[in-house]
Amino acid sequence: QKEVEQDPGPLSVPEGAIVSLNCTYSNSAFQYFMWYRQYSRKGPELLMYTYSSGNKEDGRFTAQVDKSSKYISLFIRDSQPSDSATYLCAMSAPPGGTSYGKLTFGQGTILTVHP
Amino acid sequence: GAVVSQHPSRVICKSGTSVKIECRSLDFQATTMFWYRQFPKQSLMLMATSNEGSKATYEQGVEKDKFLINHASLTLSTLTVTSAHPEDSSFYICSARLGGGGEQYFGPGTRLTVT
């Protein structure tokens, strides 16, 4: 079993739809949670960064972390064709552990928003 | 803020030669940088952790004599692929960690093609 599981999709939605992306994880030591967007042939771009459980909103993006269920989500409201990309969840452990600082990634979800 | 650059963005070299890739944090100091490799349609694979002023830590299966990493300053890390072979052709991406938390900012990537 992988430490982080992410549905690879692909996911295709019409413009304006609400998109829900999810990851589950097994390592209870993870405390930092991130969502990255990666366009083809580009480096990942940090979209959201959250620490521990809770919600965080930034514009059209909302990140949710539920540590009790080991489940994180990214919601995209009013999706646009420019949101078409691969979305990667990533997480890491806090200082003190051997895995501190290293990101463990999900497999990535390919999203297409069509006009 | 939190911008990471990489140079070159694309390089083609002959088998047996060496190639150096630079990773710079432009607007922050990074004591720790990371080097990843990404194959088409796959997630990022961590190759090594680069700490300023000390030796890099390589992931299992990564040849440290083939992939030389130097982190001589708080804003620059370099990856040298020595005696490159066609199987080294890949997309190489660096990241820099901001502060003491888990968030990492990625460079735009370098596409290496070995002929």
Side-chain angles (χ1 to χ4, degrees):
Chain A
Q1 182 188 6
K2 294 182 179 178
E3 273 194 297
V4 179
E5 297 278 0
Q6 181 178 5
D7 187 343
L11 186 60
S12 181
V13 301
E15 183 175 357
I18 296 174
V19 176
S20 172
L21 304 167
N22 312 292
C23 288
T24 58
Y25 62 96
S26 58
N27 189 346
S28 58
F30 288 144
Q31 293 282 353
Y32 303 105
F33 304 93
M34 287 139 277
W35 285 95
Y36 288 90
R37 176 173 64 192
Q38 186 175 25
Y39 293 112
S40 181
R41 301 174 182 265
K42 300 291 185 183
E45 171 193 3
L46 181 63
L47 287 177
M48 299 291 282
Y49 169 68
T50 56
Y51 172 72
S52 198
S53 284
N55 293 358
K56 183 176 183 179
E57 186 173 321
D58 184 0
R60 297 185 295 112
F61 299 93
T62 299
Q64 290 186 349
V65 174
D66 182 349
K67 290 197 68 188
S68 63
S69 300
K70 295 189 178 65
Y71 186 87
I72 69 171
S73 299
L74 177 70
F75 296 96
I76 307 174
R77 291 182 297 280
D78 187 26
S79 56
Q80 303 295 311
S82 58
D83 294 328
S84 298
T86 297
Y87 289 80
L88 297 155
C89 65
M91 41 200 83
S92 68
T98 56
S99 298
Y100 171 56
K102 295 183 183 179
L103 293 182
T104 301
F105 285 92
Q107 300 94 308
T109 299
I110 300 171
L111 171 68
T112 301
V113 181
H114 51 86
Chain B
V3 179
V4 177
S5 70
Q6 263 182 262
H7 179 79
S9 58
R10 186 179 300 182
V11 58
I12 301 172
C13 70
K14 292 186 184 298
S15 186
T17 61
S18 295
V19 173
K20 180 186 284 189
I21 303 170
E22 292 187 348
C23 177
R24 293 180 185 273
S25 54
L26 298 184
D27 51 1
F28 66 101
Q29 293 183 330
T31 55
T32 305
M33 292 183 173
F34 303 86
W35 287 96
Y36 296 84
R37 187 171 178 176
Q38 187 176 35
F39 292 103
K41 300 189 186 300
Q42 293 187 23
S43 193
L44 287 79
M45 181 188 78
L46 179 65
M47 298 175 65
T49 302
S50 169
N51 293 296
E52 188 266 338
S54 65
K55 290 184 179 180
T57 303
Y58 292 82
E59 295 299 300
Q60 191 172 8
V62 177
E63 299 176 61
K64 60 181 181 181
D65 294 330
K66 181 168 187 59
F67 298 100
L68 301 179
I69 292 172
N70 183 274
H71 193 158
S73 78
L74 288 172
T75 59
L76 173 64
S77 176
T78 60
L79 168 68
T80 301
V81 183
T82 63
S83 187
H85 291 283
E87 57 264 33
D88 298 324
S89 298
S90 190
F91 193 49
Y92 292 88
I93 313 174
C94 71
S95 72
R97 188 173 69 211
L98 178 65
E103 58 190 308
Q104 293 181 22
Y105 292 87
F106 285 82
T110 297
R111 185 159 303 280
L112 170 64
T113 303
V114 185
T115 62

